[in-house]
Amino acid sequence: DLYRKVFVFRKDPSDAYVVLRARLEQPLHNFTVCLRSYTDLIRPHSLFSYATKAQDNEILLLKPKPEEYRFYVGGKFVTFRVPESSRDWEHVCASWESATGIAEFWLNGKPWPRKGLQRGYAVGATAAILLGQEQDSFGGGFDLYYSFSGELTDVYLWDTGLSPDKMRAAFLSLRLPPALLAWNSLSYEVKGDVVVKPRLWA
């Protein structure tokens, strides 16, 4: 149980990462991924990487620069421009639905303008899911220039698009629906220099 704990990625750049295990029975036609990060990196870094054997950027949350997030589905991406962070925790949620191809992006409990991405696509179920690195092959092929350094917490993956109320609940750390990946019952394996520590904020 990682309640009120964080992963600390200590080095920059780093070859460390965390493997997450989710039991996916079938391809995803809808999903939401949420997480909270804290870093002083200004170079590109990967937050959440979900790769299949067919597509290394099946789902990817990447921050190429301080004022931009990229959200990938099936190798294609949309960009969300954000205010440059004040070096504070940032909570992001990204959701996607195949039927409309609508991608939603929420930063610190607020929605950004929706964008179109990969309408009719299905996200493969047999996946390598990693925090802290960007996969260029299934479970590997890392470029250290995209490694994450800092703190990560509150990682979730749902096989549905969350409602606006639930998006805000995720930001406020309130009760959330059952998830494929849930921070308080996470099945994970640390690879390299990552330490689990209590979080420093209330």
Side-chain angles (χ1 to χ4, degrees), residues 48-60 123-130 134-140 142:
F48 181 94
S49 171
Y50 176 119
T52 59
K53 291 199 164 74
Q55 175 52 256
D56 53 0
N57 293 335
E58 191 74 279
I59 303 172
L60 177 64
V123 169
T126 307
I129 308 175
L130 306 186
E134 193 253 318
Q135 303 176 74
D136 282 330
S137 58
F138 187 71
F142 307 141

Side-chain angles (χ1 to χ4, degrees), residues 27-31 50 52 54-60 70-80 95-104 114-124:
L28 296 174
H29 296 278
N30 307 278
F31 70 83
Y50 176 119
T52 59
Q55 175 52 256
D56 53 0
N57 293 335
E58 191 74 279
I59 303 172
L60 177 64
R70 275 188 197 168
F71 176 35
Y72 286 76
V73 176
K76 304 274 197 319
F77 70 88
V78 285
T79 297
F80 294 93
S95 77
W96 170 83
E97 60 181 27
S98 176
T100 59
I102 289 286
E104 275 186 36
R114 287 172 277 199
K115 301 198 172 185
L117 183 63
Q118 291 287 54
R119 189 173 186 168
Y121 189 76
V123 169

Side-chain angles (χ1 to χ4, degrees), residues 2 4 9 28-29 32-33 56 65 74-76 82 91-92 95-96 104-105 114 122 131 133 139 145 148 174 177 182:
L2 290 170
R4 297 181 81 83
F9 294 76
L28 296 174
H29 296 278
T32 306
V33 59
D56 53 0
K65 48 189 164 188
K76 304 274 197 319
V82 298
H91 183 267
V92 297
S95 77
W96 170 83
E104 275 186 36
F105 181 83
R114 287 172 277 199
L131 302 176
Q133 297 285 352
Y145 183 66
F148 178 77
L174 303 177

